[in-house]
Amino acid sequence: MTYFAFSALLNCIVGLLLGVLIFLKDTKKENHVFSYWTFSISFWSFGYYMWQTSSDADVALFWCRFLMVGAAFIPVTYTHFVVNFLKAFDKNKILIYFSYALALFFLAISFTTDWFVKGIGPKLFFDLWPEPGILYPLFLALFFGLLGYSWILMYLELKKSRSESIKTQLKYLLFGTVPGYIGGSTNFPLWYGFPLPPWGNIFVSLYVVSTAIALIKHHLFDIKTILTEVLVSVMGIVLITMPFLMPDPWLKYLAAGVFIFYCLIGYLLIRSTKKEVEAKEYFEERVAERTQELEASKKVAEERATELEKWYKLTIGRELRMAELKKQIGEIENKK
């Protein structure tokens, strides 16, 4: 397996696991768009892996067209996720709908025409590399246009936001996605003959996981165990393949033993994380309840203070009127 096939397989597994876990465990529908984004990455990566492991030109061409369908939805779902995060969907819904329509158009023409992917042939040290169709520049405009627009929106929000939590999330989203998108973008130059291999593919997994870390850590998703489960699962997949790759029988047994031990440690780690999350949620609920009680008591105290102030003003006013009346009576008696 080449580096390019391995990186694609890793990206596929990470994107799929993370997307499924968030989709199943997070009840907020707006957060499901994050899953759609990771599914798009996984779809693209699976096609990429199948292409890199193909030796037949027709089969490789099919998988190149397959992976470009996933690639078309990556910028759309990412921008959709960003505007949801910024609570700016209503202001950008026309752009989002148009972008989805354009991605569906790419889906429609990908397998029926050569407008998206024209063909396949040797480039650099690749025997089967795709050639761009006449509408491929439209995809590049969609990709970089939506990516740039998303970054601009986050940058502007970062500059004006007063919430430190939001600022921290935005910094992770901005600086976490830069290496991933730059790494993924190293695939484009070779389409037009520039001798730059896509060595940066491996960074796609990095920015998916770093984005998830930022969101989970700063409570956009109420599922801290997701990252633990993803990392345990990915490492488990790697370890379970080791016994089949070892040349000697004793190494196979050793690798199998390591895998079994890892499964036990992974189970304990996930269970411990879940208990920690449950304890934290219980503590936060109690704090919230206590805060509400204190706010209610404060409101009652404020109302009582307002009543006492009114009573005080009435009392002072009555005493002033009595003093004035006594003064008038004294003046009348003096005149007599």
Side-chain angles (χ1 to χ4, degrees), residues 172-190:
Y172 272 100
L173 290 176
L174 273 172
F175 301 117
T177 55
V178 167
Y181 272 108
I182 290 178
S185 298
T186 57
N187 284 279
F188 299 139
L190 198 53

Side-chain angles (χ1 to χ4, degrees), residues 197-268:
W199 297 113
N201 274 352
I202 199 71
F203 289 104
V204 174
S205 294
L206 175 64
Y207 88 87
V208 170
V209 173
S210 66
T211 302
I213 290 173
L215 301 177
I216 294 169
K217 181 179 179 181
H218 296 283
H219 311 296
L220 179 59
F221 301 143
D222 299 324
I223 39 175
K224 184 179 178 180
T225 56
I226 284 181
L227 182 61
T228 304
E229 292 174 347
V230 168
L231 294 178
V232 169
S233 300
V234 171
M235 192 61 189
I237 292 172
V238 173
L239 290 177
I240 199 173
T241 63
M242 295 303 293
F244 302 98
L245 301 177
M246 295 299 171
D248 298 325
W250 70 273
L251 288 176
K252 293 180 183 290
Y253 295 134
L254 178 61
V258 171
F259 172 71
I260 294 173
F261 178 73
Y262 175 80
C263 289
L264 175 61
I265 297 300
Y267 168 75
L268 295 175

Side-chain angles (χ1 to χ4, degrees), residues 6-23 34-35 37-46 201-213 216 226-227 229-238:
F6 171 78
S7 62
L9 182 60
L10 179 63
N11 295 337
C12 177
I13 292 172
V14 171
L16 183 62
L17 285 175
L18 193 60
V20 168
L21 287 171
I22 289 178
F23 187 85
F34 183 85
S35 296
W37 176 55
T38 63
F39 290 152
S40 299
I41 293 173
S42 183
F43 191 94
W44 167 73
S45 300
F46 177 73
N201 274 352
I202 199 71
F203 289 104
V204 174
S205 294
L206 175 64
Y207 88 87
V208 170
V209 173
S210 66
T211 302
I213 290 173
I216 294 169
I226 284 181
L227 182 61
E229 292 174 347
V230 168
L231 294 178
V232 169
S233 300
V234 171
M235 192 61 189
I237 292 172
V238 173

Side-chain angles (χ1 to χ4, degrees), residues 34-232:
F34 183 85
S35 296
Y36 304 151
W37 176 55
T38 63
F39 290 152
S40 299
I41 293 173
S42 183
F43 191 94
W44 167 73
S45 300
F46 177 73
Y48 202 108
Y49 169 77
M50 296 301 294
W51 160 46
Q52 285 296 308
T53 54
S54 300
S55 56
D56 181 81
D58 291 335
V59 175
L61 178 60
F62 169 83
W63 287 114
C64 283
R65 289 173 170 169
F66 181 94
L67 71 89
M68 288 309 302
V69 172
F73 281 91
I74 290 175
V76 181
T77 50
Y78 179 73
T79 303
H80 190 178
F81 162 70
V82 169
V83 297
N84 274 0
F85 172 74
L86 299 177
K87 303 186 185 305
F89 177 81
D90 290 338
K91 296 179 180 179
N92 295 276
K93 61 182 179 182
I94 295 178
L95 173 65
I96 298 299
Y97 292 150
F98 173 77
S99 300
Y100 273 112
L102 197 55
L104 289 172
F105 171 71
F106 287 131
L107 170 61
I109 68 171
S110 184
F111 295 98
T112 58
T113 72
D114 60 358
W115 297 349
F116 200 8
V117 181
K118 182 179 180 180
I120 199 163
K123 285 187 180 179
L124 204 59
F125 48 76
F126 294 95
D127 295 330
L128 302 170
W129 189 270
E131 298 177 357
I134 58 174
L135 292 184
Y136 193 79
L138 180 61
F139 159 72
L140 293 179
L142 175 72
F143 186 91
F144 289 107
L146 289 178
L147 177 60
Y149 181 68
S150 300
W151 284 353
I152 290 172
L153 287 180
M154 288 189 287
Y155 176 76
L156 294 176
E157 183 65 25
L158 178 63
K159 298 297 289 184
K160 72 178 183 180
S161 178
R162 295 183 179 180
S163 170
E164 289 301 323
S165 176
I166 295 297
K167 285 185 176 181
T168 303
Q169 288 177 336
L170 289 171
K171 287 177 182 177
Y172 272 100
L173 290 176
L174 273 172
F175 301 117
T177 55
V178 167
Y181 272 108
I182 290 178
S185 298
T186 57
N187 284 279
F188 299 139
L190 198 53
W191 281 70
Y192 288 97
F194 294 97
L196 176 64
W199 297 113
N201 274 352
I202 199 71
F203 289 104
V204 174
S205 294
L206 175 64
Y207 88 87
V208 170
V209 173
S210 66
T211 302
I213 290 173
L215 301 177
I216 294 169
K217 181 179 179 181
H218 296 283
H219 311 296
L220 179 59
F221 301 143
D222 299 324
I223 39 175
K224 184 179 178 180
T225 56
I226 284 181
L227 182 61
T228 304
E229 292 174 347
V230 168
L231 294 178
V232 169

Side-chain angles (χ1 to χ4, degrees), residues 275-292:
K275 288 184 177 180
E276 178 186 349
V277 171
E278 291 172 356
K280 183 178 180 180
E281 289 177 349
Y282 176 81
F283 174 76
E284 290 177 347
E285 288 176 0
R286 301 288 80 77
V287 170
E289 291 176 358
R290 183 56 180 165
T291 301
Q292 291 178 353

